[in-house]
């Protein structure tokens, strides 16, 4: 059996997941300041980091703005209400040439959260920043 390289990272990354994988939220998360490169310069912004169960492992997941909106619409903006709930992963191309993870609430009622297709029009070009 080949080793699973996803076990080498504490973070849930697009290259470790596939469409249809399920994550379960384990805690309410924390907001941390992260520095990213944008247009050749450093940009610092707040990012939600939340523990999830993924394939039997605990991983840190940083949902993008579109995912945060879908989860908040389904479960509320207080992330402690997300604990114990599950979401289904979709991998989409991002406008930076990399893939990204979109997580749709598994138990969402029809119309409770907009579909990922209407949120991002088939690509991640229009994915919003995390609203923190």
């Amino acid at each position: 059996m080949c080793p699973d390289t996803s076990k080498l990272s504490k973070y849930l990354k697009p290259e470790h997941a596939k469409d249809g994988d399920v994550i379960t939220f384990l805690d309410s998360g924390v907001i941390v300041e992260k520095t990213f490169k944008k247009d050749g310069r450093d940009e610092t912004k707040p990012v939600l980091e939340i523990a999830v169960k993924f394939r039997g492992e605990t991983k840190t997941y940083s949902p993008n703005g579109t995912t945060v909106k879908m989860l908040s619409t389904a479960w509320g903006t207080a992330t402690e209400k997300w604990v114990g709930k599950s979401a289904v992963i979709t991998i989409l191309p991002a406008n930076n040439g990399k893939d990204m993870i979109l997580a749709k609430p598994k138990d969402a009622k029809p119309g409770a959260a907009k579909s990922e297709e209407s949120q991002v029009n088939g690509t991640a070009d229009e994915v919003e920043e995390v609203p923190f």
Side-chain angles (χ1 to χ4, degrees):
M1 178 181 218
C2 296
D4 182 354
T5 60
S6 70
K7 296 184 184 302
L8 298 174
S9 176
K10 76 174 199 167
Y11 294 97
L12 177 58
K13 298 179 180 182
E15 58 266 25
H16 302 146
K18 65 181 181 352
D19 289 350
D21 278 344
V22 175
I23 56 173
T24 301
F25 294 88
L26 299 177
D27 66 22
S28 58
V30 295
I31 296 174
V32 297
E33 292 289 323
K34 292 277 186 166
T35 302
F36 301 91
K37 290 280 186 195
K38 185 172 183 178
D39 299 325
R41 57 189 165 97
D42 288 344
E43 181 179 299
T44 301
K45 65 180 182 176
V47 174
L48 175 63
E49 289 190 346
I50 193 163
V52 296
K53 185 66 77 177
F54 173 73
R55 297 182 185 165
E57 301 272 329
T58 299
K59 298 288 185 181
T60 300
Y61 174 51
S62 296
N64 61 47
T66 300
T67 294
V68 169
K69 278 188 170 185
M70 287 193 303
L71 299 176
S72 296
T73 298
W75 303 330
T77 58
T79 57
E80 63 264 13
K81 294 179 182 178
W82 302 5
V83 177
K85 298 194 176 179
S86 297
V88 179
I89 289 175
T90 300
I91 305 297
L92 294 174
N95 59 1
N96 63 2
K98 298 180 180 181
D99 286 340
M100 60 168 249
I101 296 173
L102 196 68
K104 182 179 179 183
K106 188 174 180 185
D107 64 353
K109 294 177 178 57
K114 293 180 184 176
S115 72
E116 63 269 14
E117 291 85 6
S118 67
Q119 289 280 337
V120 297
N121 296 327
T123 70
D125 289 344
E126 297 177 19
V127 172
E128 298 178 22
E129 298 296 319
V130 176
F132 297 115

